[in-house]
């Protein structure tokens, strides 16, 4: 059978970066071997499951571009793909265990009777590990069914992987200690276990397991703060895996080509939001303009910025693209281009417009630009430098007041590109407005 991997989240909260990484590694492995990724929803915990959490999981996977081949929302030959709808399947396998004498009742719960032998886990990442299961004190018989009749994770997880014909189970190393128990269940059911690969945990800078209190632990953090999917995927793949040769900046196509379980580290991964921020900036710089526009648009709409035409918006995004590090920053970079009611940064005003002779330089520049017949970047730049030279000065004393006058800020896209985009009439009007600031 061809390779079949799975991502099996529980819809009880946000999509954790660890879960997203697990989904990614399973996708990469399946794609490399011409196999399939299956999405299974482990929703047996009725009290904690929420529709919002399920939607957050699927939306997060969609945003990252992790496209599963079979499972929840897509169907397939091994459904249903929600555990809450698979009770009849669990009853069938439970009966097999009962008939084989592998279960017993304990205070209303049903436990699985361990064979009390050494179980060898031949892990594709961690190597061969022997687990001595003989001591009932350190390895008590596991519960597989609660007194209320609901199922425990270990049992339904094994049954689902068996029924859905999983060939490989790639999951976090925190599940490694569960694996010998799962192998015991496979053996009791007369089935061959899949191959296991346990990937390193993701820890915070304190060396503790990454939790919801840590910034960036939820995938929603990256959506809300303007990260691009390409950068987050790039960063996720580096959490515990390395392509070698100190390479870090990778496209999804390169990741798919280079990925292998052999490249997964045994050391736990340290979550570094600064590195993800750097990768985000790098991917934004190399991104096609059309992609940048599409990803920026939701943030622009949310900020209430309205461009007269798509062409105007395209021009604005073209000149700010080299500066943007987060998509959420785009509105602040372009907002002044689409309104005359833009705010002035008091510090920028004090530094660039309150200096002696700053307004004189602004008036002189305005007068010089007013006579321009060709309103283009090169012509504007040449006229500003001519005006500065005539005053016996460098360009700076004219550039800085002009920038603050037209944008209200001391930083932004290139001045000449800004002036060209705003147009002659708006620039001259903004110069006059700056002169009248209180």
């Amino acid at each position: 059978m061809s390779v079949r991997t799975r991502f099996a989240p529980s819809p009880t909260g946000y999509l954790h970066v660890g879960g997203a990484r697990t989904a990614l590694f399973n996708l990469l492995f399946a794609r490399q071997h011409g196999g399939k990724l299956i999405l299974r929803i482990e929703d047996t915990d009725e009290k904690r499951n929420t529709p919002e959490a399920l939607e957050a999981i699927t939306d997060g996977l969609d945003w990252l571009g992790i496209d599963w081949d079979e499972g929840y929302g897509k169907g397939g030959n091994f459904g249903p793909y929600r555990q809450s709808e698979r009770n009849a399947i669990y009853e069938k396998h439970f009966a097999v265990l009962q008939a084989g004498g592998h279960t017993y009742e304990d205070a209303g719960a049903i436990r699985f009777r361990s064979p009390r032998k050494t179980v060898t886990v031949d892990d594709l990442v961690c190597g061969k590990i022997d687990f001595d299961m003989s001591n009932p004190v350190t390895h008590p018989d596991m519960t597989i069914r609660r007194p209320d009749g609901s199922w425990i994770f270990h049992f339904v997880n094994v049954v689902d992987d068996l029924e859905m014909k999983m060939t490989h189970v790639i999951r976090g190393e925190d599940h490694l200690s569960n694996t010998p128990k799962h192998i015991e269940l496979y053996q009791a059911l007369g089935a061959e276990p899949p191959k296991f690969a346990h990937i390193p945990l993701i820890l915070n800078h304190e060396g503790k397991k990454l939790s919801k209190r840590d910034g960036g632990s939820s995938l929603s953090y990256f959506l809300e703060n303007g990260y691009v999917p390409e950068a987050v995927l790039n960063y996720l793949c580096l959490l515990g895996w390395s392509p070698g040769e100190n390479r870090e900046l990778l496209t999804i196509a390169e990741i798919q080509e280079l990925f292998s379980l052999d490249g997964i580290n045994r050391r736990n991964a340290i979550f570094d939001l600064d590195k993800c921020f750097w990768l985000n900036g790098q991917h934004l710089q190399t991104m096609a303009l059309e992609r940048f526009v599409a990803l920026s648009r939701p943030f622009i709409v949310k900020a209430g910025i309205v461009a007269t035409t798509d062409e105007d918006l395209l021009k604005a995004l073209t000149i700010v693209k080299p500066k943007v590090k987060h998509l959420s920053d785009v509105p602040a970079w372009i907002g002044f281009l689409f309104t005359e009611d833009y705010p002035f940064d008091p510090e920028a005003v004090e530094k660039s417009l309150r200096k002696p002779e700053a307004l004189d330089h602004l008036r002189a520049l305005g007068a010089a630009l007013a006579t321009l017949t060709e309103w283009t970047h090169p012509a504007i730049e040449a006229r500003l430098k001519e005006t500065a030279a005539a005053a016996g000065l460098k360009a700076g004393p004219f550039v800085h007041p002009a920038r603050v006058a037209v944008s209200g800020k001391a930083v932004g896209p290139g001045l000449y590109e800004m002036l060209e985009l705003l147009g002659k009439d708006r620039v001259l009007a903004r110069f006059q407005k700056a002169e009248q600031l209180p």
Side-chain angles (χ1 to χ4, degrees), residues 194-216:
K195 292 181 171 62
F196 293 97
H198 289 88
I199 56 183
L201 300 179
I202 301 175
L203 307 180
N204 62 19
H205 283 289
E206 297 175 352
K208 298 177 181 177
K209 190 174 178 181
L210 197 67
S211 72
K212 62 177 66 177
R213 294 184 297 276
D214 296 301

Side-chain angles (χ1 to χ4, degrees), residues 192-300:
E192 184 71 23
K195 292 181 171 62
F196 293 97
H198 289 88
I199 56 183
L201 300 179
I202 301 175
L203 307 180
N204 62 19
H205 283 289
E206 297 175 352
K208 298 177 181 177
K209 190 174 178 181
L210 197 67
S211 72
K212 62 177 66 177
R213 294 184 297 276
D214 296 301
S217 64
S218 166
L219 197 65
S220 61
Y221 171 89
F222 298 98
L223 278 81
E224 294 164 3
N225 287 280
Y227 284 78
V228 298
E230 294 91 329
V232 178
L233 268 180
N234 187 167
Y235 183 61
L236 288 177
C237 83
L238 297 175
L239 289 172
W241 171 79
S242 171
E245 299 178 352
N246 293 319
R247 294 182 66 180
E248 290 187 326
L249 185 60
L250 300 163
T251 65
I252 185 60
E254 290 172 326
I255 294 168
Q256 287 188 2
E257 180 183 350
L258 296 169
F259 181 81
S260 73
L261 294 179
D262 292 338
I264 293 179
N265 305 316
R266 286 291 291 113
R267 298 187 309 275
N268 290 323
I270 302 299
F271 187 76
D272 184 356
L273 203 52
D274 289 340
K275 179 179 281 189
C276 191
F277 173 74
W278 176 79
L279 285 169
N280 200 60
Q282 296 298 308
H283 278 276
L284 280 167
Q285 295 310 302
T286 58
M287 181 177 290
L289 180 60
E290 293 76 15
R291 173 75 170 156
F292 178 64
V293 172
L295 291 174
S296 298
R297 197 177 292 274
F299 294 91
I300 295 168

